[in-house]
Every structure is written in structure tokens, then in C-alpha cells.
Amino acid sequence: MVIDCGDRFDIIVLGAGLYGLAFANTYLKLHPNANLVILEARPCLGGVWSSERRYNAFWTQTPLNMACFSDFPIDALSGRIESYYGFFPAKYVTQYLEDFVDSKVYAGKSLRLRIRFDGPVKKVERNRDDGNWIVRLCDGHVLHSSRLIVATGLTSIPNMPSLPGQVNSPIPVIHHKDFGASDILSDAKIQHIAVVGGAKSAADVAYACVKAGKQVSWIIRADGSGPAAFVPAEGVGPYKNSNELLYTRLASNFSPSVWLPRNRLESVVQSTWMGRKAIDWVWEKMDANAAKQADLSGRASEDNGLLNLRPDTSIFWQNDSTGINQHSDFWDVIASNIRVYRQNIVRLDGDTVILTKDTIEPDMLICATGWQPSYFSFIEDSQAHQMGLPTRSPCPEHEKWEMLEKLADTQVCSRFPRLRDHPAHHSFPNTTSPFRLYKHIAPTNPNIDNIIFLGHIAVGNNFRAAEVQAIWATAYLDGHLVLPKQEEMEQEVALGVAWCRRRYLSKGVLGHWLYYDLIPYTDALLREVGLKSHRKKGIEDFWKPCIAIDLESLVAEYGLKRRSG
């Protein structure tokens, strides 16, 4: 679709992934005549769930009753979906999102027709005269908008390691973002694949390669966060799968979280010796269940190096990007077909990868090595500082934030004694400042109130987070939130950063890791909007899982509040 130079819009949304689509749908329900456009850098929608990035072994870590938006159930697909305790192949999420954008029509125009594909952004800047936003595209076109939604997420820009000797090596090196669109699995010339990385994405790629008949060497660096723990998919008691228990308010109290309201239950659980012992037992049980299913000692041999997959830290800390094991044959496949190395890559020497102690000769190197902030390429550091985004240059207000975070750290240690002491773990040099967005969405600077950031958090269920962030963001743009003073917002942000660093170790350095905190976090957003966060009746609200359908009437409820003033 051609964009005319100088196009003007009420709202520009950057990114057609879960968060961008959720916001556009929510906002247009309440403002159907808004001139809203979604800019997507790629030729297809969905972000991590796009058709470009899927492959057979890529499955959801969110079960069927949670992996959808509340106003568009995935039930129509459920009868045709292969699943394992509710977890299912990513290709169905792709189809779901394609159907979603076609079904949502406002003022005679579907969400799909509002998406402009192949539109990567070169630069975003604010007009000094009127405060509106200027969005410059890589193809030279310029767009203008009074409001800007940055929903480019955390998994857009690959973080590629610097490998000595790569320039002169014939070994192809790609990021796992490009794995799904490649022909690696069907290419007979590629027989030996080295997968680099220790998190769930590396495990998925390694598993997929073995299932395609490839020889796999799995390299996890010695000085990294270590291999991920894999929680069994099976549930316990009334819970069909492990996620159903995780996303209850009961389980939310097992984790020390600043997003939980302070009450008597939290005080007993987190502050008393007996409460902490009980919670420690719960997390130790989770570690034991994961270890029992993996049975690394029983499956290990001199040939497979399987003991190198032992996590460095407990599941409690989430320092290794804990994931769900969605395949019944996962551990058998890994043990029988993969050699695991816990070593650093020293260099590439011709067609050989030199490790700290060993050498291998792969036909391909796939890096599952994480991501860089997506806005680095289009928002300059000088603007990013003012917005509360991580930057690579020194923060002008470094001393102020350092003092606020130091005071906040004292509060965290007082409220959560469990977080005072850390296990031994690898830490990394902090090369950027942390996220300092209010509620992980909006700048604390009152002079920048027409830009919001969606999806810049790490959570276990992005569908719920996207939907609730969209409601909060809409209320914010409507002017229907009673926000604290800037000083109070900054204190809350500092508290969140200090807590995140203690709670999630290396993963918490940027202050945006909320893996076990989805329910209290979304509850906090809904409370600020003035909506009921507890959607079930009585005691069921405490022990039953929070599922997509629970949020079905939220937009209508907010619409009533908005009209009543």
C-alpha cells in the first residue's frame, strides 16, 4: 500500500504484533472514527507469531484458554488443534491473528486494512512547535500524528554475538528469528547444526533440527546465565496444566512482588519465618518436579554432555528464562541426538568452531542469543532519556535515579526478606540504563503525554498483558486516569527497578522482567483505570486460573465510566 508523503493521522501504532493489534482494537471500539494506522516493518503481521517465524517445533507456552483475546475466542480452532496439556503449535496463533484482523471492523474498515506492511521506521521525532510526532520511514515517506503508540516489543531486533573469525569463515551464521523462514531443515547440504544459547528458544531450535534428522551441537556459554529449566506441562490437582496454577491469585502470593497489594496475607507469607519456609518448599517442589522429568543423571552419557543442561539457579529466580516443556518426547530426543557443550566460543577458524576445550565442524550456526531494544534504531538517546527508555549514553539525571533506587532497594529488602540474599550467579555489565516508564507504559515526564510504549515487558502470557495494557493506555490517552504527581511516579518506577534487580537477578537488570507477576501487574493497571480486576465470584477468584474470557466486558465497562464522566 502506497503512503502519500505528509500523511496525517490521529494515532500511529508502530508494530502489528499482539500489543499493537490489541491496542488498535480496544481504541477503535471506543473511538471507531479515529484515523488510526498501524505500521508494520515486515510483510506480515504477528511479530513473534508471524508466518515468517514459525516452524513445526515452535509451540506456545500459553494454553488454549489463555492464548487469545477476550472478545475473539480461539474455540473455533480448538477442535482442530493438536495440543499437549493445552499447549499447541504456534501456527494456530498465526491463523488466529490473521482471522482477528479480518473480523474487527470499525467505521467500515477492518484492522487489516489499517495495517501498512513493509514500512520500517527510520526515525521518530517530536515537532518542537506543536508537540506532535513525525515518523520518518525508511522509504522516505513522512507521517504525522498527534499520538504515537510504540508497540514494537522485545523480540524484533536480534542480538548477535561478536564471533572472532566470523568474517573469514565459510560457516553461515543466522539468528533464530530467521530460522522459520529458512530452508535449513529441508536442505540436504546442511547436516550438522550448532545452536548457540541456553534459553527456551535455543531448546526449541535444537529440538526442531533433531526432529528433521540433523546432527546438533548445543553450545551454552560458560559465563552466561546457564541453561533454562523446563517446567513439566502437566498440571496438579484441579489444574489442567502448569500455567493454570501459575496464573491464579493463589500462586501470585508465592512470589515476592511489588505489584501485589500490601495486606495481611502478604505480610504473613513474605515476612514471617514460617511463611517463607512454606513458600521455599513450594519452589523447591517445582525444581524437584522439573529435575525428575528431565532425569539428566539417568540420561547422561559421555557422548551427550547432558549434565551441562542443569540450571545454575532455582526456578524461583527465573534467571535462566524458565520455559514449559510442551513435547512428550523432548528429553528423549535431546538425550539421544544432541551433544551439549557448556563452553565459550573462542573463535571461528575456517570451517571449525573453536570452543574453550573442544572443536566442532558444523555446517550452520544458529544463534538464539536474545534481543536488543527495538527502538534503538529510530529514537535518539536524547529523546529516549526524557521518555524513560534504556539508553547507551549516560543518563543526565543519573545521580537522581541512583539515589531513588538506593532508597527503594532498602524498602524492597525490608518488605521481602527473601530477596536480601542472592544465589551465586553470573552477572553482566550493565551497558544501558533501565526502563523507567510509569506502569511500564508511559513517560513520567508530564510534558510528554502523547506517546506510550506497549509490550516492553517480559511476561508469561502476552495476550492478557496486551489486552489490559491497551485498556490502561486508552484511558490514559482519553485523560480519564487520575495520575500521581511526577515525583510519586518516579518513586514508584525506582521501586520497580530496585525490586526487579533483586527478584530476577541478571534478567531484572533492565527493570522490565515480570515473569511471575502478570496477575498482580494487570490487577494494578485495572485498579488505576477504576475497573474491577477480580472477575470471578467469591473464593473462586483466589484459586481458579485467570483466563481470556474473564476480560470480556472490560472495554464496555470502561466505556460506561467514560461516558458518565
Side-chain angles (χ1 to χ4, degrees), residues 109-340:
K109 193 174 184 179
S110 69
L111 286 186
R112 182 182 297 279
L113 292 179
R114 298 172 188 269
I115 302 173
R116 298 190 174 184
F117 295 102
D118 293 309
V121 174
K122 181 179 182 180
K123 187 177 181 180
V124 164
E125 55 190 319
R126 205 174 188 208
N127 189 313
R128 295 181 181 180
D129 296 328
D130 59 14
N132 290 337
W133 294 99
I134 303 169
V135 178
R136 302 184 186 278
L137 304 185
C138 292
D139 64 6
H141 288 105
V142 180
L143 284 69
H144 302 264
S145 176
S146 57
R147 293 168 174 181
L148 184 64
I149 316 302
V150 182
T152 47
L154 298 176
T155 57
S156 298
I157 309 300
N159 179 53
M160 290 294 287
S162 176
L163 301 174
Q166 181 181 343
V167 174
N168 298 316
S169 173
I171 303 173
V173 181
I174 69 166
H175 191 269
H176 84 274
K177 177 183 179 181
D178 301 314
F179 178 63
S182 73
D183 59 358
I184 292 171
L185 298 182
S186 60
D187 190 340
K189 296 179 181 178
I190 300 174
Q191 289 299 314
H192 182 188
I193 297 172
V195 178
V196 182
K200 182 63 167 62
S201 55
D204 287 343
V205 171
Y207 176 85
C209 291
V210 169
K211 297 292 278 187
K214 308 295 184 180
Q215 177 188 350
V216 175
S217 297
W218 187 355
I219 305 168
I220 302 171
R221 66 177 183 164
D223 57 357
S225 296
F230 298 99
V231 177
E234 300 92 326
V236 296
Y239 304 106
K240 298 175 183 176
N241 53 66
S242 49
N243 266 24
E244 285 200 346
L245 173 58
L246 177 62
Y247 297 125
T248 64
R249 291 188 173 82
L250 167 66
S252 294
N253 285 279
F254 298 166
S255 178
S257 177
V258 292
W259 296 100
L260 283 168
R262 304 192 72 158
N263 54 37
R264 186 174 181 82
L265 175 61
E266 186 219 53
S267 179
V268 170
V269 170
Q270 301 296 341
S271 300
T272 67
W273 178 86
M274 184 174 293
R276 294 199 302 274
K277 281 293 182 182
I279 296 305
D280 285 346
W281 178 85
V282 171
W283 290 100
E284 288 167 4
K285 186 71 173 176
M286 291 178 65
D287 285 326
N289 288 342
K292 181 180 179 180
Q293 185 185 71
D295 189 21
L296 297 179
S297 296
R299 290 187 167 103
S301 69
E302 292 184 6
D303 295 329
N304 63 21
L306 205 64
L307 293 181
N308 290 315
L309 289 180
R310 283 178 172 167
D312 290 356
T313 54
S314 166
I315 289 173
F316 170 84
W317 297 104
Q318 237 280 314
N319 192 51
D320 50 19
S321 298
T322 303
I324 304 291
N325 175 16
Q326 319 102 314
H327 304 289
S328 60
D329 64 346
F330 175 79
W331 286 114
D332 290 333
V333 167
I334 298 297
S336 302
N337 302 277
I338 292 179
R339 176 66 188 267
V340 183

Side-chain angles (χ1 to χ4, degrees), residues 55 454 499:
Y55 51 94
L454 303 177
W499 162 79

